[in-house]
Amino acid sequence: MPADDLDETEDESAASAPTAGPIDIEIEAEASAERLDAALARRIPSLSRSRLKALIGEGRVTLDGTLVTEASRKINAGGRIVVDLPAPAVAKPEPEDIPLDIVHEDDDVVVLMKPAGLVVHPGAGNASGTLVNALLHHCKGSLSGIGGVERPGIVHRLDKDTSGLMVVAKTDRAHQSLAAQFADHGRTGPLERAYHAVVWGVPKYMEGTITTQIGRDPRNRQAMAAVKSGGREAITHFRVLETFGAPRPGAKIREAEAGPVASLVECSLETGRTHQIRVHMAEIGHPLLGDDLYGSGFRTKLDKLERIAPEAAEALKALNRQALHAFLLAFAHPSGRKKVMRFEAEMPEDMERLVEALRTLD
């Protein structure tokens, strides 16, 4: 899993997030009049503007010795601002010693391999044992207080049963940078996200783009769906890498058994909607193997697989999840050095075993 290391000789002007305590700022004599929150945001870039507004509202900012609680207060040249930055509050989730597969770590980010079965965020039914709990333990003492709370900055997620690469912010500055990159979806920057998926059948075209709106499925509130209106734009690019189960010339096989059984597909995201790849591949008639939520209508395919390739059927049952793995992740390092970090991860063993078993069909 290669990663580009940061060059230590590059510009290090991007300061790390400040520690708790007073921050004393002298406004330059030639500075123009501007709002207090804007002035602070320019001079303390490691804190978000919303965080600075909150500090002002909490009475933690003075201007020339006078307490100021209005973010819109105009300040003039030569003024003196003091920001009393509190220690980060302890996050509600508790740190837990859960093993993590760390691919890269520095002062700003952690890049890791999320295994299938690990939930990212604590929530209903998953109050503990999540990636956030694991990161709070792993990063103890190195989180600077994102939004004023000691916590890891989650800027993107993977479904519980999807494996693959994730990047997590350790500082407010890194969180802002990464969040902006993911919001831009790589349209103007180096952000890339790509997945390997094993799908039923073979798409009509060997490569293409699926564009729909994705919203909550009106028939199943646990699922998402491609909807005609009221959803959010979703764009997935796909490319067929390999097909499994094409009959050999002259093979004696019933017509009902003919045709490729499955395909290995590479999917890259131009947007990041909930269950996007799973919804889109099902929408074009090729749901992911193992996806009970979006591929329940393909149970007969499993029956066929059991007849013609028992080993592959067993591998699919052992997988016990959707066959989806985030194998590629690239982003600009949030240090401001314009260094592109790029990582690739091999398929986990359970998914690789399925692919190898499917190859025997050929």
Side-chain angles (χ1 to χ4, degrees):
M1 303 176 192
D4 292 327
D5 293 329
L6 290 173
D7 184 350
E8 295 180 358
T9 64
E10 292 180 357
D11 177 28
E12 298 189 5
S13 59
S16 59
T19 56
I23 303 173
D24 204 323
I25 299 171
E26 294 284 347
I27 303 301
E28 303 87 348
E30 66 277 9
S32 302
E34 60 182 326
R35 286 172 55 112
L36 175 60
D37 57 346
L40 290 175
R42 288 200 305 106
R43 292 166 176 82
I44 316 176
S46 56
L47 295 181
S48 66
R49 190 158 174 174
S50 60
R51 174 64 178 144
L52 290 166
K53 283 184 177 181
L55 291 172
I56 295 168
E58 292 168 8
R60 292 186 173 276
V61 178
T62 60
L63 176 59
D64 293 328
T66 302
L67 186 68
V68 180
T69 57
E70 295 179 357
S72 59
R73 172 73 175 270
K74 296 288 187 183
I75 63 167
N76 297 311
R80 179 171 175 264
I81 306 172
V82 177
V83 180
D84 178 20
L85 189 64
V90 177
K92 288 184 179 179
E94 293 295 324
E96 295 180 45
D97 188 4
I98 300 171
L100 291 173
D101 184 358
I102 303 297
V103 178
H104 169 85
E105 183 173 8
D106 56 42
D107 290 341
D108 293 293
V109 299
V110 176
V111 179
L112 57 92
M113 265 286 296
K114 188 192 87 65
L118 181 64
V119 176
V120 173
H121 260 303
N126 297 289
S128 62
T130 72
L131 177 61
V132 167
N133 296 108
L135 286 165
L136 284 171
H137 179 273
H138 176 80
C139 300
K140 188 175 182 180
S142 63
L143 298 174
S144 65
I146 295 167
V149 179
E150 187 180 18
R151 65 184 180 191
I154 305 296
V155 294
H156 69 128
R157 305 185 193 190
L158 295 177
D159 295 340
K160 174 185 176 182
D161 290 327
T162 297
S163 58
L165 291 164
M166 286 187 63
V167 58
V168 179
K170 294 171 67 176
T171 66
D172 216 338
R173 174 191 63 188
H175 191 259
Q176 293 175 64
S177 171
L178 291 172
Q181 291 184 59
F182 276 85
D184 182 62
H185 303 299
R187 293 186 176 101
T188 62
L191 182 75
E192 290 183 71
R193 290 171 294 163
Y195 297 70
H196 282 144
V198 184
V199 305
W200 289 112
V202 180
K204 182 178 180 181
Y205 301 101
M206 296 303 284
E207 59 181 80
T209 298
I210 307 167
T211 303
T212 71
Q213 290 187 48
I214 287 182
R216 188 66 61 182
D217 188 337
R219 298 166 297 180
N220 181 357
R221 300 303 296 173
Q222 302 300 314
M224 307 301 287
V227 296
K228 293 183 178 179
S229 62
R232 302 178 68 189
E233 183 185 43
I235 303 171
T236 302
H237 306 286
F238 71 88
R239 180 167 62 98
V240 177
L241 301 178
E242 192 173 352
T243 62
F244 311 110
R248 289 181 292 273
K252 293 182 179 180
I253 186 168
R254 293 188 327 201
E255 184 178 350
E257 308 290 357
V261 173
S263 309
L264 176 62
V265 178
E266 179 183 314
C267 298
S268 58
L269 299 180
E270 194 172 318
T271 57
R273 310 303 176 210
T274 302
H275 298 177
Q276 180 172 320
I277 292 173
R278 299 166 64 189
V279 170
H280 271 173
M281 296 313 296
E283 177 68 12
I284 65 171
H286 301 283
L288 275 60
L289 272 67
D291 193 341
D292 292 336
L293 185 59
Y294 298 104
S296 59
F298 279 66
R299 296 191 192 280
T300 56
K301 295 286 187 180
L302 179 57
D303 295 338
K304 172 182 175 180
L305 199 60
E306 289 176 335
R307 290 195 303 273
I308 66 175
E311 184 181 343
E314 285 301 315
L316 178 54
K317 290 178 181 178
L319 183 71
N320 195 33
R321 66 179 179 98
Q322 64 265 9
L324 185 62
H325 173 67
F327 80 93
L328 172 65
L329 176 65
F331 57 90
H333 193 275
S335 63
R337 299 172 180 175
K338 299 182 179 179
K339 185 72 173 179
V340 176
M341 309 291 287
R342 186 181 179 87
F343 304 89
E344 292 192 33
E346 295 180 356
M347 282 186 196
E349 185 178 348
D350 59 352
M351 195 165 155
E352 181 64 35
R353 191 182 306 119
L354 172 63
V355 169
E356 288 297 328
L358 286 168
R359 284 180 178 139
T360 65
L361 287 167
D362 300 321

